Amino acid sequence: MSKGLSIRQASLAGIIGLISAAAISVSAQRASTGTTVEPQGAVTRAYNEFKSLTEGKNADYIPALAKVDPNLFGIALVTTDGKVYTAGDVGTEVSIQSISKVFTMAQVIQEQGLESVEKRIGVDATGARFNSIIAVEAVKTVVGTGAPEMNPLVNPGAISATSMVIGATADDIWKKIIGIYSDAAGRPLRVLNDVYESESATNQRNQAIGALMFAYGYIKNNWQQAVDLYTRQCSVGVNAKDLGMMAATLAAGGRNPMTGKRIIDESKVPGVLAVMATAGLYDDSGKWLYHTGLPAKSGVGGGIIAVSPGKFGIAVVSPPLDDAGNSVRAQRAITQISNNLGGNPYAAFREEAVATSGRR
Ligand code: DON
């Protein structure tokens, strides 16, 4: 009898041990992504599913971008506790393009506060293409009222944001810009000179936008310098892993989860994410948000970053774009991976509701 009891006790102890080991591994995965779905599996599945997708076309209004290999495809998901999950080519660099706008906005907000951007540039979607001049004309009448219907993620607002970075010389300003990008990526980044030269030779439209933003009072001085620095910031080389880390830095409240370096105060990150949510994919931002709930930003180099606050940052690089200027494969892969991992912040209540009602 007593022997039987001790055998039962022993097997009970074994079962309890197994259950608690399983619980620890489940909670470890929860800490990483917020669900029990295995992140590497989700990333690999999306890579395999979308690698043969051929929709879209490289941007060609900047000649250097047309030459980038359209088959390049890399995915990097980085959790807020620093775990990295990748698939495909996460080492080849493309130009960061408009994704840079997020981190220049972050620099201005960090230096001058959330109101600085809201008052000078605005934080509203324009509903227009990223380089729309009509959008500039539409807002010019409200300069000085404190509510321009513009934002730092479209070209006119982005060139204005670059003009707001404080520095005595162009070099001082540039050091700050490349500094915050590098800190977010966790390694020193550099300009891709072929892209910089190519865009500098063909950016007359951005020069016109810069001149208009100066004429209407958004840019206070030296608009030519602002356009040049903006062109340089768009030419910074990044790979999918860099972009994943930059996204994760925002997901982690402004602190790089690998290096521990802070790029922006935690209290300021929600403002950055809000503009990404409303304008990160330009006139397709609403559609994107509807399917993912994620603040995100695209670039015509083919990258997209997306942020699941408190959980993970994810990035995909794939150059072919749709008509709105957003990478086709990146949108598809991020949507699938994030939704599989429970990344949508608007759906977060579901898991809690099921857990607390005991119906799990
Ligand atoms: O100013 C431009 O047109 C480019 N340097 C950046 C545009 C861009 O990336 C738009 N993104 N989807």
Side-chain angles (χ1 to χ4, degrees):
M1 182 76 176
S2 72
K3 198 177 172 196
L5 259 183
S6 71
I7 288 169
R8 243 184 268 149
Q9 280 168 342
S11 50
L12 200 62
I15 290 165
I16 290 169
L18 278 176
I19 290 171
S20 49
I24 287 165
S25 106
V26 167
S27 65
Q29 287 178 15
R30 276 180 189 286
S32 289
T33 63
T35 70
T36 54
V37 175
E38 201 269 302
Q40 185 59 56
V43 167
T44 306
R45 185 154 18 118
Y47 178 77
N48 289 332
E49 191 166 329
F50 299 119
K51 72 176 174 218
S52 48
L53 188 71
T54 54
E55 280 167 46
K57 193 171 159 295
N58 281 27
D60 57 8
Y61 72 98
I62 300 168
L65 301 188
K67 296 187 196 143
V68 178
D69 178 6
N71 298 313
L72 174 61
F73 184 28
I75 307 176
L77 183 146
V78 183
T79 61
T80 50
D81 50 2
K83 295 192 183 69
V84 180
Y85 303 93
T86 67
D89 184 342
V90 296
T92 298
E93 289 181 353
V94 294
S95 52
I96 188 169
Q97 296 299 338
S98 284
I99 299 169
S100 68
K101 294 165 177 170
V102 172
F103 297 91
T104 299
M105 164 172 63
Q107 175 65 30
V108 174
I109 285 176
Q110 181 62 8
E111 278 185 340
Q112 299 169 54
L114 282 158
E115 316 69 35
S116 63
V117 161
E118 185 177 8
K119 288 207 174 116
R120 174 88 73 87
I121 300 168
V123 291
D124 269 314
T126 60
R129 280 186 66 75
F130 60 85
N131 55 4
S132 169
I133 288 173
I134 291 173
V136 175
E137 291 301 310
V139 297
K140 76 171 196 282
T141 49
V142 291
V143 171
T145 65
E149 299 232 319
M150 176 66 69
N151 67 75
L153 299 184
V154 288
N155 290 12
I159 295 167
S160 305
T162 301
S163 82
M164 290 174 73
V165 177
I166 297 167
T169 64
D171 259 8
D172 291 342
I173 297 168
W174 178 249
K175 277 189 191 122
K176 283 189 184 170
I177 292 173
I178 195 71
I180 191 170
Y181 297 4
S182 300
D183 287 345
R187 73 170 183 115
L189 300 177
R190 65 189 175 95
V191 167
L192 301 176
N193 277 322
D194 60 325
V195 178
Y196 175 57
E197 281 161 22
S198 178
E199 185 161 352
S200 297
T202 53
N203 69 351
Q204 291 76 20
R205 188 181 179 101
N206 281 341
Q207 292 180 44
I209 288 173
L212 283 176
M213 294 305 272
F214 175 68
Y216 298 156
Y218 294 90
I219 296 178
K220 298 296 175 197
N221 52 40
N222 207 344
W223 62 265
Q224 293 94 336
Q225 175 176 291
V227 173
D228 179 54
L229 286 169
Y230 164 82
T231 307
R232 238 196 278 180
Q233 76 178 45
C234 288
S235 310
V236 167
V238 280
N239 58 41
K241 192 171 163 223
D242 296 327
L243 290 174
M245 199 61 74
M246 294 171 96
T249 297
L250 295 173
R255 208 167 147 272
N256 182 306
M258 186 180 65
T259 65
K261 183 139 192 202
R262 176 163 293 288
I263 65 156
I264 180 171
D265 299 339
E266 195 171 326
S267 61
K268 292 169 177 154
V269 173
V272 174
L273 297 182
V275 185
M276 291 171 73
T278 50
L281 267 70
Y282 305 113
D283 32 335
D284 275 356
S285 297
K287 204 160 65 180
W288 168 262
L289 204 61
Y290 194 76
H291 289 286
T292 65
L294 300 182
K297 184 73 204 82
S298 62
V300 288
I304 295 186
I305 63 169
V307 177
S308 180
K311 292 183 177 173
F312 59 81
I314 181 168
V316 173
V317 169
S318 168
L321 312 177
D322 63 14
D323 289 343
N326 302 316
S327 166
V328 178
R329 277 197 288 212
Q331 290 177 79
R332 299 280 282 276
I334 293 173
T335 302
Q336 184 187 92
I337 295 166
S338 175
N339 288 343
N340 280 340
L341 295 176
N344 186 335
Y346 298 120
F349 65 90
R350 282 196 194 152
E351 202 181 350
E352 293 311 314
V354 175
T356 50
S357 70
R359 282 184 282 110
R360 208 172 175 75

